[in-house]
Amino acid sequence: YPLRRQRQMCIRDRHTEDKNGDGKTDLWGYYDPEGKLERVEMDSDFDGVIDTWQEYKDETVHLVVRDTNADGLKDTWDYYEKGTHTRQEKDRNQDSNIDQWVYMGDKDRVIKTLMDENQDNQPDVQIFFDQEERPRTEERDTDFDGRADVIMNYTDGELSDIQRDKDHDGKIDVWDEYENGRHLRQDTDENGDGAWDNWLFFDANEQVQTHRQDRNFNGRIDLNENYTNGVISQREEDTDSDGIFDRFSYFRNGVITMETRDENGDGNIDTEVLLNDRGEIQESISDQDKDQKMDSWCQFENGMVHACRMDRNGDGRFDLWAEYKNGVIQRVSCLLYTSPSPRDRTRSRMPSSA
C-alpha cells in the first residue's frame, strides 16, 4: 500500500487514512524528524487489528512484515533492496521460528526456496527454479544429517527423475525415471556396491510390467518377471548362475499353475510341474535319463505324491507303477525283463530288484 503524502508547509510525524471508507482508521504512517516516511502500519483485512508493518529507508520500502492468518503473530517477512524484492522469510507453523526462505531474482522471480522441515532452524529442503519459475531441482535431507539423500530433477517443470540414497551412506542407490508425469522405471542398487542390480519397468497405469534382477550380484540378470495389469504372469530364473535360464514359471491370476525346469543345463526342459489355482502341485512329468523323452509321471493329492508311473527302458510304454498314501510309498508293480533295461544296465542293477 503506497502512501502518498502531499507536501505541507510544516513537517508532521504521523499520517492516518481510512482505506475502505468505513469511518475507522486502518493505516498509520510515521515519519522521521526530517519528514521522511519511516514506517507504515496497516489493518489490511479491516478487522480492527494491525496485521502489516512496513519499514522504509530513504522513503523506499525495505521490509514488509505481515500476519497472514490473523492469529496475532507475525509470520512473513519480505525484504527489499532499493525497491527490489530480494527475499521472503516465513514461519509456516506459527512457532515464532523462521522455517522457509525464498530468494528472488529480477522482476520478483523466485530462484530458490529453502525449508526447515524438522524445526531445528537449519534448512533441509532446497528447491531451485528456472527462468519461468518452474522447479528445476529439489534436494531433500530426509534424515536431517546435513546431507541431501533425495534429489528430484525436472525438465520444463515436469518431474524427470528422483535419485535416492535409501541407506544414507552418501551414494545414490535408487533411481526413478518419469516422462510426462508418468513413472517409467526404477533402478536399484540393493547391496550398495555401486552397480544396479534390480530393475522395475511400469506400464501406462504405473503398474509393474517387467521386473529384472541380479540376485547374486555377479553382473548378470538371473530373474525375469512379466506382469499383466500389475499381476505376475511369467517368471524366468537362472538358478545356478551359469547365465542360462533354467526354470520357467507360469501364473494365472497371480498364482503359479505350471513350472518347467532344465535341470542339467543342456537347454532342454526335462521336468514339468502342474499346479492348481491354490498353488498346490497336481502332476509332474520328467525326463529321468535326460534323453529328451519324458519317462516319469507322478500325480499328487493335497500336495503329496499319490501315484507314479515310469518307462524305464525308453520304449514309450510304462513298466513301473508306484502307489502312495499320505506321501509314503505303499506298493510298487513292475515288468521284469529277460535282460537289464538301459537304465538298469547303467546302474548295474537288474530290474527284478525292484
Side-chain angles (χ1 to χ4, degrees):
Y1 293 92
L3 179 66
R4 296 180 179 178
R5 179 170 58 90
Q6 297 181 351
R7 296 183 177 275
Q8 298 182 0
M9 296 299 296
C10 61
I11 297 176
R12 54 183 177 178
D13 60 1
R14 182 174 177 180
H15 174 78
T16 61
E17 291 185 20
D18 174 12
K19 303 294 290 185
N20 65 340
D22 65 352
K24 298 179 182 179
T25 299
D26 41 50
L27 184 148
W28 296 261
Y30 299 90
Y31 303 86
D32 65 13
E34 297 180 357
K36 294 181 179 180
L37 185 61
E38 191 173 50
R39 186 174 83 257
V40 172
E41 298 178 355
M42 288 181 286
D43 171 15
S44 63
D45 57 2
F46 312 117
D47 66 350
V49 179
I50 294 174
D51 52 38
T52 303
W53 299 261
Q54 296 182 174
E55 296 183 8
Y56 291 77
K57 285 184 179 180
D58 299 324
E59 294 193 293
T60 300
V61 65
H62 81 96
L63 174 62
V64 178
V65 183
R66 289 173 291 160
D67 170 16
T68 60
N69 61 354
D71 66 350
L73 299 174
K74 299 174 181 179
D75 51 47
T76 304
W77 292 258
D78 288 276
Y79 294 86
Y80 297 78
E81 293 182 8
K82 298 180 180 180
T84 300
H85 197 186
T86 59
R87 186 173 85 253
Q88 181 187 84
E89 298 178 354
K90 288 182 70 69
D91 171 18
R92 296 174 298 162
N93 61 352
Q94 292 77 47
D95 67 349
S96 299
N97 292 312
I98 302 298
D99 50 33
Q100 178 175 291
W101 300 260
V102 180
Y103 296 86
M104 282 76 173
D106 57 344
K107 299 181 181 180
D108 212 28
R109 179 177 61 86
V110 176
I111 59 175
K112 181 173 67 173
T113 296
L114 308 180
M115 290 181 282
D116 173 19
E117 300 288 9
N118 65 334
Q119 290 76 51
D120 65 351
N121 298 319
Q122 298 295 326
D124 34 58
V125 177
Q126 297 188 80
I127 306 175
F128 301 88
F129 298 85
D130 63 16
Q131 291 292 326
E132 299 182 25
E133 264 190 341
R134 299 173 301 189
R136 177 170 51 86
T137 303
E138 180 176 338
E139 300 178 357
R140 289 183 171 269
D141 173 17
T142 61
D143 62 348
F144 313 117
D145 67 349
R147 297 186 303 184
D149 46 54
V150 176
I151 301 173
M152 306 169 69
N153 293 309
Y154 297 80
T155 301
D156 297 330
E158 292 285 344
L159 182 64
S160 58
D161 68 74
I162 301 177
Q163 304 170 34
R164 286 177 286 165
D165 172 16
K166 65 178 183 179
D167 56 5
H168 308 290
D169 65 349
K171 297 185 293 185
I172 297 298
D173 42 39
V174 179
W175 193 310
D176 290 89
E177 291 186 15
Y178 296 80
E179 185 177 89
N180 297 324
R182 182 171 71 84
H183 198 181
L184 291 181
R185 63 183 287 175
Q186 181 184 89
D187 300 354
T188 306
D189 173 14
E190 297 285 359
N191 65 338
D193 65 353
W196 304 115
D197 43 53
N198 196 68
W199 299 264
L200 291 173
F201 299 85
F202 302 91
D203 62 19
N205 296 318
E206 297 191 2
Q207 296 175 314
V208 175
Q209 187 174 49
T210 305
H211 174 218
R212 297 174 181 168
Q213 190 173 0
D214 170 15
R215 294 180 292 187
N216 61 358
F217 313 115
N218 66 351
R220 293 188 299 198
I221 294 174
D222 49 40
L223 173 67
N224 271 332
E225 291 180 328
N226 295 320
Y227 292 74
T228 302
N229 297 324
V231 179
I232 189 169
S233 58
Q234 184 177 350
R235 176 187 295 144
E236 301 176 346
E237 299 173 87
D238 173 13
T239 61
D240 54 8
S241 303
D242 65 350
I244 300 175
F245 289 102
D246 49 42
R247 180 186 295 170
F248 306 86
S249 302
Y250 304 88
F251 298 77
R252 183 170 56 245
N253 298 325
V255 179
I256 186 170
T257 57
M258 184 172 72
E259 180 179 284
T260 62
R261 307 172 195 151
D262 170 16
E263 297 181 340
N264 64 341
D266 65 353
N268 297 304
I269 297 299
D270 41 49
T271 299
E272 295 182 5
V273 178
L274 303 179
L275 304 97
N276 61 21
D277 290 339
R278 297 186 300 276
E280 298 172 339
I281 186 170
Q282 296 290 287
E283 183 179 350
S284 70
I285 308 171
S286 60
D287 174 11
Q288 295 290 319
D289 55 8
K290 307 301 187 281
D291 64 352
Q292 300 180 29
K293 295 179 182 179
M294 295 299 184
D295 49 33
S296 177
W297 291 261
C298 290
Q299 294 176 315
F300 295 77
E301 290 184 356
N302 299 320
M304 293 185 291
V305 63
H306 174 67
C308 287
R309 296 171 292 173
M310 183 178 294
D311 171 17
R312 295 176 300 160
N313 66 348
D315 65 355
R317 294 178 297 179
F318 296 129
D319 49 39
L320 185 146
W321 297 262
E323 298 177 7
Y324 297 77
K325 183 178 181 180
N326 296 325
V328 178
I329 192 166
Q330 302 294 308
R331 184 173 65 176
V332 175
S333 303
C334 64
L335 295 179
L336 298 181
Y337 299 99
T338 57
S339 61
S341 70
R343 176 175 295 115
D344 288 331
R345 184 181 299 113
T346 58
R347 298 181 180 178
S348 299
R349 186 179 65 186
M350 292 297 291
S352 58
S353 61

XYZ file of all heavy atoms in Angstrom, residues 79-140:
539
model
N 11.869 -8.784 2.258
C 12.986 -7.846 2.258
C 13.183 -7.256 0.858
O 13.038 -7.955 -0.153
C 14.261 -8.538 2.709
C 14.223 -9.001 4.157
C 13.673 -10.229 4.498
C 14.710 -8.192 5.179
C 13.616 -10.652 5.820
C 14.670 -8.612 6.511
C 14.118 -9.833 6.818
O 14.065 -10.248 8.127
N 13.543 -5.964 0.834
C 13.738 -5.246 -0.419
C 15.076 -4.511 -0.389
O 15.544 -4.095 0.681
C 12.613 -4.227 -0.646
C 11.237 -4.851 -0.784
C 10.535 -5.279 0.346
C 10.648 -5.010 -2.023
C 9.275 -5.871 0.228
C 9.375 -5.589 -2.156
C 8.710 -6.008 -1.020
O 7.471 -6.574 -1.143
N 15.686 -4.379 -1.547
C 16.888 -3.565 -1.703
C 16.673 -2.594 -2.850
O 16.453 -3.016 -3.985
C 18.111 -4.446 -1.977
C 18.511 -5.323 -0.801
C 19.754 -6.133 -1.092
O 20.383 -5.901 -2.155
O 20.098 -7.001 -0.268
N 16.691 -1.305 -2.500
C 16.455 -0.250 -3.488
C 15.151 -0.477 -4.246
O 15.064 -0.314 -5.466
C 17.619 -0.147 -4.462
C 18.928 0.230 -3.790
C 20.068 0.317 -4.798
C 21.360 0.698 -4.099
N 22.493 0.786 -5.063
N 14.142 -0.916 -3.503
C 12.830 -1.119 -4.080
C 12.618 -2.458 -4.763
O 11.524 -2.744 -5.245
N 13.661 -3.313 -4.792
C 13.558 -4.628 -5.445
C 13.368 -5.718 -4.401
O 14.131 -5.801 -3.437
C 14.818 -4.915 -6.288
O 14.961 -3.902 -7.286
C 14.704 -6.268 -6.970
N 12.376 -6.550 -4.607
C 12.086 -7.658 -3.700
C 13.201 -8.698 -3.827
O 13.401 -9.276 -4.888
C 10.734 -8.268 -4.061
C 10.151 -9.126 -2.996
N 8.988 -9.860 -3.187
C 10.535 -9.382 -1.711
C 8.689 -10.507 -2.080
N 9.614 -10.244 -1.173
N 13.924 -8.988 -2.738
C 15.068 -9.907 -2.797
C 14.869 -11.182 -1.995
O 15.450 -12.222 -2.341
C 16.337 -9.209 -2.274
O 16.124 -8.789 -0.914
C 16.694 -8.008 -3.133
N 14.066 -11.151 -0.943
C 13.969 -12.331 -0.080
C 12.663 -12.304 0.708
O 12.166 -11.240 1.062
C 15.156 -12.365 0.887
C 15.233 -13.618 1.739
C 16.525 -13.678 2.545
N 16.466 -12.967 3.807
C 17.055 -11.825 4.062
N 17.754 -11.214 3.121
N 16.957 -11.253 5.254
N 12.149 -13.505 0.959
C 10.986 -13.647 1.835
C 11.265 -14.744 2.850
O 11.756 -15.814 2.500
C 9.725 -13.994 1.045
C 8.484 -14.116 1.925
C 7.275 -14.615 1.165
O 7.103 -15.817 0.991
N 6.436 -13.680 0.712
N 10.946 -14.471 4.116
C 11.079 -15.459 5.168
C 9.697 -15.699 5.777
O 8.907 -14.769 5.937
C 12.056 -14.976 6.242
C 13.467 -14.758 5.716
C 14.418 -14.239 6.791
O 13.937 -13.946 7.910
O 15.629 -14.121 6.508
N 9.416 -16.987 6.104
C 8.101 -17.326 6.626
C 8.206 -18.238 7.838
O 9.120 -19.062 7.917
C 7.246 -18.016 5.552
C 6.766 -17.101 4.439
C 5.882 -17.849 3.456
C 4.552 -18.224 4.065
N 3.685 -17.053 4.330
N 7.265 -18.078 8.740
C 7.039 -19.028 9.829
C 5.761 -19.773 9.478
O 4.656 -19.280 9.685
C 6.897 -18.286 11.161
C 6.448 -19.193 12.298
O 6.578 -20.431 12.146
O 5.958 -18.678 13.312
N 5.913 -20.993 8.916
C 4.759 -21.708 8.378
C 3.907 -22.384 9.444
O 2.729 -22.661 9.217
C 5.228 -22.751 7.361
C 5.896 -22.172 6.123
C 6.460 -23.269 5.249
N 7.484 -24.034 5.950
C 7.911 -25.239 5.572
N 7.373 -25.818 4.505
N 8.848 -25.858 6.254
N 4.505 -22.694 10.590
C 3.759 -23.459 11.605
C 3.470 -22.661 12.869
O 3.116 -23.231 13.903
C 4.510 -24.734 11.960
C 5.887 -24.452 12.536
O 6.342 -23.307 12.545
N 6.550 -25.480 13.026
N 3.637 -21.347 12.804
C 3.281 -20.451 13.913
C 3.986 -20.802 15.222
O 3.396 -20.752 16.302
C 1.756 -20.424 14.147
C 0.975 -19.764 13.030
C 0.809 -20.648 11.810
O 0.449 -21.818 11.947
N 1.056 -20.125 10.627
N 5.292 -21.185 15.113
C 6.050 -21.442 16.339
C 7.041 -20.318 16.626
O 7.931 -20.477 17.464
C 6.780 -22.782 16.253
C 7.874 -22.782 15.202
O 7.946 -21.822 14.393
O 8.665 -23.746 15.167
N 6.889 -19.192 15.891
C 7.735 -17.997 16.059
C 9.163 -18.205 15.557
O 10.052 -17.419 15.890
C 7.751 -17.539 17.531
O 6.436 -17.195 17.943
N 9.400 -19.293 14.777
C 10.715 -19.516 14.175
C 10.592 -19.555 12.655
O 9.655 -20.144 12.113
C 11.316 -20.841 14.664
C 11.679 -20.802 16.140
O 12.316 -19.866 16.616
N 11.255 -21.821 16.871
N 11.553 -18.950 11.984
C 11.559 -18.957 10.523
C 11.833 -20.378 10.035
O 12.767 -21.042 10.501
C 12.636 -18.001 9.970
C 12.385 -16.576 10.483
C 12.644 -18.029 8.447
C 11.081 -15.985 10.040
N 11.003 -20.899 9.105
C 11.237 -22.234 8.572
C 11.135 -22.286 7.045
O 11.153 -23.362 6.455
C 10.276 -23.253 9.188
C 8.831 -22.812 9.132
O 8.445 -22.126 8.164
O 8.073 -23.145 10.066
N 11.051 -21.110 6.402
C 11.080 -21.068 4.938
C 11.741 -19.772 4.483
O 11.446 -18.698 4.999
C 9.674 -21.170 4.349
C 9.651 -21.081 2.818
C 8.278 -21.311 2.254
O 7.748 -22.409 2.307
N 7.671 -20.267 1.697
N 12.652 -19.929 3.511
C 13.366 -18.789 2.954
C 13.198 -18.817 1.433
O 13.509 -19.838 0.793
C 14.852 -18.853 3.287
C 15.161 -18.842 4.760
C 15.553 -17.790 5.512
C 15.146 -19.964 5.660
N 15.773 -18.160 6.815
C 15.517 -19.506 6.942
C 14.820 -21.317 5.506
C 15.600 -20.328 8.047
C 14.888 -22.143 6.613
C 15.273 -21.655 7.864
N 12.707 -17.745 0.855
C 12.504 -17.653 -0.589
C 13.370 -16.523 -1.122
O 13.306 -15.392 -0.618
C 11.019 -17.400 -0.933
C 10.830 -17.314 -2.450
C 10.131 -18.491 -0.345
N 14.183 -16.820 -2.152
C 15.091 -15.830 -2.730
C 14.616 -15.453 -4.124
O 14.256 -16.320 -4.930
C 16.512 -16.374 -2.771
C 17.077 -16.644 -1.390
C 16.849 -17.863 -0.746
C 17.814 -15.673 -0.721
C 17.338 -18.096 0.532
C 18.317 -15.909 0.560
C 18.070 -17.124 1.171
O 18.561 -17.351 2.441
N 14.625 -14.147 -4.411
C 14.122 -13.636 -5.665
C 15.255 -13.126 -6.550
O 16.282 -12.658 -6.066
C 13.121 -12.488 -5.437
C 11.743 -12.946 -5.014
S 11.677 -13.458 -3.289
C 9.920 -13.712 -3.082
N 15.021 -13.212 -7.866
C 15.927 -12.627 -8.840
C 15.307 -11.366 -9.404
O 14.597 -10.633 -8.711
N 15.557 -11.110 -10.688
C 14.991 -9.924 -11.303
C 13.481 -10.093 -11.485
O 12.955 -11.183 -11.576
C 15.665 -9.650 -12.643
C 15.558 -10.826 -13.600
O 15.239 -11.941 -13.140
O 15.787 -10.634 -14.800
N 12.781 -8.978 -11.505
C 11.338 -8.936 -11.712
C 10.568 -9.806 -10.720
O 9.562 -10.429 -11.052
C 10.997 -9.344 -13.146
C 11.605 -8.430 -14.196
C 11.218 -8.878 -15.601
C 11.843 -7.974 -16.637
N 11.486 -8.388 -18.033
N 11.072 -9.841 -9.489
C 10.387 -10.559 -8.403
C 10.286 -12.065 -8.672
O 9.407 -12.750 -8.146
C 8.988 -9.984 -8.189
C 8.559 -10.066 -6.718
O 9.436 -10.050 -5.840
O 7.346 -10.149 -6.471
N 11.191 -12.603 -9.495
C 11.152 -14.010 -9.877
C 11.811 -14.865 -8.805
O 12.938 -14.595 -8.386
C 11.868 -14.202 -11.218
C 11.914 -15.633 -11.706
C 12.569 -15.706 -13.075
N 13.930 -15.215 -13.041
C 14.996 -15.962 -12.714
N 14.829 -17.240 -12.374
N 16.205 -15.442 -12.706
N 11.113 -15.927 -8.374
C 11.670 -16.838 -7.370
C 12.756 -17.681 -8.019
O 12.546 -18.308 -9.063
C 10.571 -17.744 -6.779
C 11.186 -18.757 -5.812
C 9.512 -16.916 -6.079
N 13.947 -17.715 -7.422
C 15.047 -18.525 -7.944
C 15.413 -19.676 -7.006
O 15.951 -20.690 -7.451
C 16.295 -17.667 -8.215
C 16.775 -16.974 -6.932
C 16.026 -16.637 -9.300
C 18.074 -16.203 -7.101
N 15.098 -19.556 -5.729
C 15.454 -20.619 -4.784
C 14.565 -20.534 -3.552
O 14.238 -19.451 -3.083
C 16.931 -20.509 -4.379
C 17.390 -21.592 -3.410
C 18.899 -21.539 -3.185
C 19.340 -20.295 -2.463
N 20.776 -20.337 -2.101
N 14.184 -21.711 -3.036
C 13.418 -21.792 -1.796
C 14.078 -22.799 -0.873
O 14.427 -23.907 -1.291
C 11.965 -22.222 -2.060
O 11.304 -21.224 -2.844
C 11.208 -22.399 -0.755
N 14.259 -22.427 0.376
C 14.793 -23.310 1.406
C 13.710 -23.534 2.458
O 12.948 -22.621 2.779
C 16.040 -22.716 2.062
C 17.173 -22.238 1.151
C 18.319 -21.685 1.990
C 17.657 -23.357 0.271
N 13.654 -24.745 3.019
C 12.674 -25.044 4.059
C 13.305 -25.862 5.170
O 14.174 -26.688 4.913
C 11.475 -25.790 3.462
C 10.601 -24.940 2.555
S 9.173 -25.836 1.889
C 9.973 -26.780 0.594
N 12.841 -25.617 6.369
C 13.244 -26.386 7.558
C 12.051 -27.239 7.963
O 11.055 -26.735 8.472
C 13.638 -25.427 8.680
C 13.895 -26.135 10.002
O 14.128 -27.360 9.971
O 13.854 -25.472 11.052
N 12.160 -28.557 7.732
C 11.029 -29.451 7.980
C 10.984 -29.992 9.401
O 9.939 -30.466 9.844
C 11.064 -30.626 6.985
C 10.985 -30.209 5.521
C 9.610 -29.721 5.118
O 8.755 -29.548 5.999
O 9.385 -29.503 3.918
N 12.102 -29.966 10.114
C 12.109 -30.557 11.463
C 12.310 -29.523 12.568
O 12.613 -29.871 13.706
C 13.178 -31.641 11.566
C 14.589 -31.088 11.424
O 14.789 -30.039 10.804
N 15.568 -31.773 12.004
N 12.160 -28.263 12.232
C 12.208 -27.170 13.217
C 13.510 -27.140 14.020
O 13.503 -26.940 15.242
C 11.003 -27.238 14.182
C 9.675 -26.882 13.530
C 9.119 -27.980 12.666
O 9.011 -29.127 13.121
N 8.758 -27.686 11.431
N 14.650 -27.373 13.317
C 15.932 -27.235 14.005
C 16.661 -25.979 13.562
O 17.858 -25.817 13.830
C 16.808 -28.469 13.760
C 17.203 -28.621 12.298
O 16.669 -27.873 11.431
O 18.046 -29.492 12.003
N 15.936 -25.070 12.874
C 16.482 -23.807 12.378
C 17.551 -23.982 11.303
O 18.309 -23.064 11.015
C 17.048 -22.966 13.533
C 15.981 -22.591 14.544
O 14.854 -22.250 14.189
N 16.322 -22.681 15.826
N 17.602 -25.198 10.694
C 18.517 -25.463 9.589
C 17.710 -25.944 8.387
O 16.885 -26.844 8.522
C 19.550 -26.536 9.974
C 20.454 -26.161 11.137
C 21.356 -24.986 10.809
O 21.788 -24.832 9.666
N 21.630 -24.156 11.801
N 17.933 -25.353 7.210
C 17.174 -25.800 6.032
C 17.553 -27.227 5.631
O 18.729 -27.582 5.606
C 17.577 -24.787 4.947
C 18.880 -24.232 5.395
C 18.856 -24.246 6.894
N 16.555 -28.052 5.351
C 16.804 -29.420 4.906
C 16.103 -29.726 3.590
O 16.115 -30.857 3.135
C 16.401 -30.441 5.974
C 15.204 -29.999 6.783
O 14.151 -29.756 6.177
O 15.332 -29.885 8.009
N 15.507 -28.709 2.982
C 14.939 -28.814 1.634
C 15.396 -27.610 0.834
O 15.312 -26.471 1.313
C 13.396 -28.863 1.663
C 12.837 -28.886 0.231
C 12.901 -30.072 2.428
N 15.921 -27.854 -0.370
C 16.303 -26.783 -1.283
C 15.607 -27.011 -2.618
O 15.684 -28.117 -3.172
C 17.813 -26.748 -1.517
C 18.641 -26.458 -0.283
C 20.097 -26.244 -0.643
O 20.502 -25.181 -1.092
N 20.895 -27.278 -0.457
N 14.936 -25.997 -3.125
C 14.277 -26.077 -4.421
C 14.816 -24.951 -5.295
O 14.776 -23.774 -4.899
C 12.745 -25.960 -4.294
C 12.200 -27.001 -3.309
C 12.088 -26.132 -5.658
C 10.718 -26.870 -3.042
N 15.332 -25.297 -6.466
C 15.867 -24.322 -7.408
C 14.911 -24.217 -8.596
O 14.373 -25.229 -9.067
C 17.261 -24.735 -7.879
C 18.260 -24.875 -6.764
C 18.405 -26.087 -6.083
C 19.037 -23.800 -6.372
C 19.304 -26.215 -5.044
C 19.946 -23.926 -5.331
C 20.087 -25.130 -4.666
N 14.710 -22.992 -9.110
C 13.718 -22.732 -10.151
C 14.386 -22.222 -11.420
O 15.467 -21.620 -11.373
C 12.697 -21.713 -9.648
C 11.910 -22.179 -8.447
C 12.410 -22.010 -7.163
C 10.681 -22.798 -8.598
C 11.704 -22.442 -6.050
C 9.959 -23.233 -7.494
C 10.464 -23.058 -6.215
N 13.723 -22.478 -12.568
C 14.256 -21.995 -13.837
C 13.770 -20.572 -14.115
O 13.154 -19.933 -13.256
C 13.887 -22.951 -14.981
C 12.374 -23.049 -15.201
O 11.630 -22.183 -14.704
O 11.940 -24.000 -15.886
N 14.029 -20.072 -15.318
C 13.700 -18.695 -15.657
C 12.199 -18.427 -15.635
O 11.771 -17.283 -15.505
C 14.267 -18.360 -17.043
C 15.785 -18.290 -17.107
C 16.335 -17.110 -16.331
O 15.727 -16.048 -16.267
N 17.503 -17.303 -15.713
N 11.401 -19.480 -15.768
C 9.954 -19.316 -15.757
C 9.342 -19.697 -14.414
O 8.135 -19.954 -14.324
C 9.329 -20.147 -16.887
C 9.809 -19.723 -18.270
C 9.138 -20.523 -19.376
O 8.009 -21.027 -19.144
O 9.732 -20.645 -20.453
N 10.174 -19.737 -13.382
C 9.741 -20.039 -12.016
C 9.175 -21.443 -11.875
O 8.350 -21.714 -11.008
C 8.710 -19.008 -11.513
C 9.335 -17.905 -10.696
C 8.303 -17.023 -10.007
O 7.128 -17.027 -10.419
O 8.684 -16.336 -9.055
N 9.634 -22.350 -12.736
C 9.266 -23.754 -12.622
C 10.369 -24.487 -11.873
O 11.553 -24.154 -12.017
C 9.064 -24.367 -14.012
C 7.957 -23.721 -14.821
C 7.911 -24.238 -16.234
N 9.153 -24.013 -16.959
C 9.310 -24.210 -18.266
N 8.282 -24.650 -18.988
N 10.466 -23.988 -18.849
N 10.026 -25.479 -11.056
C 11.080 -26.195 -10.320
C 12.067 -26.850 -11.286
O 11.666 -27.440 -12.294
C 10.303 -27.241 -9.513
C 8.984 -27.372 -10.201
C 8.688 -26.039 -10.793
N 13.346 -26.719 -10.976
C 14.408 -27.312 -11.782
C 15.060 -28.475 -11.041
O 15.264 -29.547 -11.599
C 15.443 -26.257 -12.149
C 16.643 -26.752 -12.922
C 17.478 -25.581 -13.449
N 17.799 -24.612 -12.419
C 18.848 -24.703 -11.591
N 19.668 -25.745 -11.665
N 19.079 -23.772 -10.687
N 15.381 -28.269 -9.776
C 15.985 -29.305 -8.935
C 15.489 -29.131 -7.504
O 15.366 -28.013 -7.012
C 17.522 -29.221 -8.952
O 17.999 -29.320 -10.287
C 18.134 -30.340 -8.116
N 15.189 -30.264 -6.869
C 14.795 -30.243 -5.460
C 15.665 -31.237 -4.702
O 15.796 -32.390 -5.098
C 13.326 -30.603 -5.303
C 12.839 -30.608 -3.855
C 11.351 -30.868 -3.740
O 10.630 -30.626 -4.734
O 10.907 -31.307 -2.658
N 16.280 -30.775 -3.619
C 17.145 -31.609 -2.796
C 16.557 -31.692 -1.391
O 16.221 -30.668 -0.793
C 18.562 -31.048 -2.745
C 19.227 -30.957 -4.117
C 20.620 -30.345 -4.044
O 21.038 -29.945 -2.927
O 21.291 -30.260 -5.092
N 16.462 -32.920 -0.860
C 15.873 -33.121 0.465
C 16.818 -33.931 1.358
O 17.418 -34.906 0.909
C 14.529 -33.843 0.367
C 13.418 -32.989 -0.221
C 12.085 -33.712 -0.247
N 11.009 -32.802 -0.612
C 10.288 -32.103 0.259
N 10.524 -32.261 1.574
N 9.335 -31.296 -0.134
